[in-house]
Amino acid sequence: MSAALYEHLPHLLSRLGEKYPDIHPKLIEVSTNEQIAALSRSEIDIGFVHPPLGTDERLDVHDYPAEDLIAVLPDDRQTHGVTLADIARHGLIMFPAAQGPALHASIVDTFTKAGLDVRIVQEATRALTMLSLVSTGLGAALLPRSTQRLVFQGVRYAAIADASLPAWPLAVIAKRRPRPTIVDSVWKLLDGRPDVT
């Protein structure tokens, strides 16, 4: 998940390198649904996902605090916050509904409840793609606050002044036990528990 890249994953990889220097994780960037399917097939051990999870798979889930959404707009050299109407005027660059149906519907519903008809001008599955499209002037995007860590020419980040958009949820998942000892040790690091092995 792009949202894990800016804060949680670097912290985890640093802790993992300190505690288990012989572990060399292989990172794969795929959607929540693809991660759940890959866990089910034992192709991956742990995943960063956006809840809610539409699966009957028996999983351990560790939720991180959800992040506020901010607006990302073509850089107009302004520094003030923006309104939902400002965002709607640009048109929205958004992740596909299938990638996060509940969050997608909640975002669109926020505009509808404000009496705004927001046009989705382009779908994109990755934050960097969204930033690139915003920088060309194609539209505006809504991304987690941690995205501001990326300095991206041609865009500006702005707080949303007149509405409370849904927060961007993030969790880490793994198959329930029994699981390999090393996976269990990494899970305990993620969950903040001391390793007992």
Side-chain angles (χ1 to χ4, degrees):
M1 284 290 114
S2 297
L5 297 175
Y6 314 124
E7 186 174 338
H8 301 294
L9 191 59
H11 179 68
L12 168 66
L13 292 177
S14 175
R15 289 179 62 207
L16 189 62
E18 289 169 8
K19 186 146 179 84
Y20 302 108
D22 294 332
I23 294 179
H24 304 287
K26 179 180 177 185
L27 305 177
I28 304 166
E29 192 174 6
V30 294
S31 73
T32 293
N33 291 338
E34 291 168 316
Q35 287 182 64
I36 291 169
L39 271 172
S40 180
R41 296 188 300 264
S42 298
E43 295 171 357
I44 65 172
D45 298 306
I46 293 172
F48 281 90
V49 297
H50 293 303
L53 307 175
T55 181
D56 294 328
E57 186 77 33
R58 292 176 44 85
L59 301 171
D60 281 331
V61 179
H62 174 74
D63 290 308
Y64 287 102
E67 277 193 75
D68 291 337
L69 291 176
I70 58 168
V72 185
L73 304 125
D75 190 4
D76 56 6
R77 307 289 183 219
Q78 300 296 315
T79 57
H80 56 77
V82 296
T83 65
L84 287 179
D86 295 330
I87 297 165
R89 274 193 291 278
H90 280 89
L92 204 51
I93 298 165
M94 198 157 162
F95 58 90
Q99 190 174 322
L103 182 60
H104 190 284
S106 187
I107 289 169
V108 172
D109 191 49
T110 300
F111 284 90
T112 303
K113 285 180 178 174
L116 297 167
D117 182 27
V118 66
R119 217 170 21 98
I120 296 176
V121 294
Q122 181 65 50
E123 290 185 339
T125 59
R126 304 284 182 256
L128 285 174
T129 305
M130 291 181 183
L131 289 169
S132 182
L133 294 172
V134 169
S135 74
T136 68
L138 184 62
L142 299 168
L143 290 170
R145 185 172 299 283
S146 62
T147 308
Q148 292 179 100
R149 293 179 180 200
L150 299 175
V151 177
F152 204 95
Q153 189 172 358
V155 306
R156 83 168 173 108
Y157 300 102
I160 301 161
D162 66 338
S164 180
L165 283 162
W168 192 280
L170 183 67
V172 64
I173 60 173
K175 274 188 174 181
R176 290 234 173 119
R177 292 182 181 188
R179 55 184 170 231
T181 302
I182 193 61
V183 174
D184 205 47
S185 295
V186 173
W187 180 259
K188 288 173 185 165
L189 266 184
L190 285 163
D191 208 22
R193 291 179 288 150
D195 187 11
V196 294
T197 58

